[in-house]
Amino acid sequence: RILGNTLDSRKKVYIALTRIYGIGISRSKSILKSLNINPDVKVSDLTNENVSNLRDLLENETFQLEGNLKRLLKQNINRLIEIGSYRGKRHLKGLPARGQRTRTNSRTSRKLTIFKSKK
């Protein structure tokens, strides 16, 4: 377990690390390179020393992961809503915020809006 996530022991390390929110494939490869761990090794083949080094690096690193990253994104959206910006209003209504058309092709966001209005 690393940062509250159980890594699948059958997968390669660089793929298994992507289960952690905020780590993609490129970031996982750079983390493993900094720790001198072969990315193609399976998680079950890692030594305890490798796992502890990986856990220490992820807990003490400067980039945001898991709960901290989710909290940061939520704060940014709430800030946009509070200042009354266009993007904030679109987030509040549950509509696309980046200029996509809404006459057609915004099904997912419009479905989410229906659920928001019922609550």
Side-chain angles (χ1 to χ4, degrees), residues 26-39 57:
S26 60
R27 182 171 280 178
S28 70
K29 285 184 177 181
S30 66
I31 289 169
L32 294 172
K33 189 174 184 179
S34 69
L35 291 174
N36 295 324
I37 298 174
N38 183 9
L57 180 77

Side-chain angles (χ1 to χ4, degrees), residues 10-15 29 32 37-43 45-46:
R10 296 170 292 158
K11 294 186 177 183
K12 294 182 180 181
V13 180
Y14 79 98
I15 296 293
K29 285 184 177 181
L32 294 172
I37 298 174
N38 183 9
D40 294 324
V41 173
K42 304 258 182 184
V43 173
D45 297 337
L46 286 176

Side-chain angles (χ1 to χ4, degrees):
R1 286 185 66 83
I2 296 177
L3 293 175
N5 290 307
T6 304
L7 302 182
D8 190 0
S9 61
R10 296 170 292 158
K11 294 186 177 183
K12 294 182 180 181
V13 180
Y14 79 98
I15 296 293
L17 279 178
T18 60
R19 296 269 303 152
I20 299 172
Y21 186 80
I23 296 181
I25 290 178
S26 60
R27 182 171 280 178
S28 70
K29 285 184 177 181
S30 66
I31 289 169
L32 294 172
K33 189 174 184 179
S34 69
L35 291 174
N36 295 324
I37 298 174
N38 183 9
D40 294 324
V41 173
K42 304 258 182 184
V43 173
S44 59
D45 297 337
L46 286 176
T47 63
N48 289 335
E49 182 182 338
N50 286 344
V51 173
S52 64
N53 288 342
L54 188 61
R55 186 176 294 122
D56 292 340
L57 180 77
L58 291 177
E59 289 174 354
N60 300 326
E61 195 58 45
T62 58
F63 43 78
Q64 303 286 327
L65 297 173
E66 282 294 322
N68 294 336
L69 181 59
K70 290 178 184 176
R71 191 176 318 108
L72 183 68
L73 292 176
K74 187 71 175 162
Q75 286 174 352
N76 288 339
I77 292 172
N78 285 336
R79 180 182 52 81
L80 290 172
I81 291 170
E82 286 175 14
I83 64 175
S85 70
Y86 177 79
R87 281 176 54 202
K89 290 176 184 173
R90 301 297 280 186
H91 275 292
L92 195 59
K93 292 179 183 177
L95 292 169
R98 294 187 177 180
Q100 295 92 334
R101 65 180 292 138
T102 56
R103 184 171 181 175
T104 59
N105 298 337
S106 66
R107 291 276 182 256
T108 304
S109 59
R110 285 194 281 159
K111 281 181 191 174
L112 295 175
T113 306
I114 293 169
F115 294 123
K116 283 185 179 181
S117 63
K118 286 183 179 179
K119 286 183 180 178

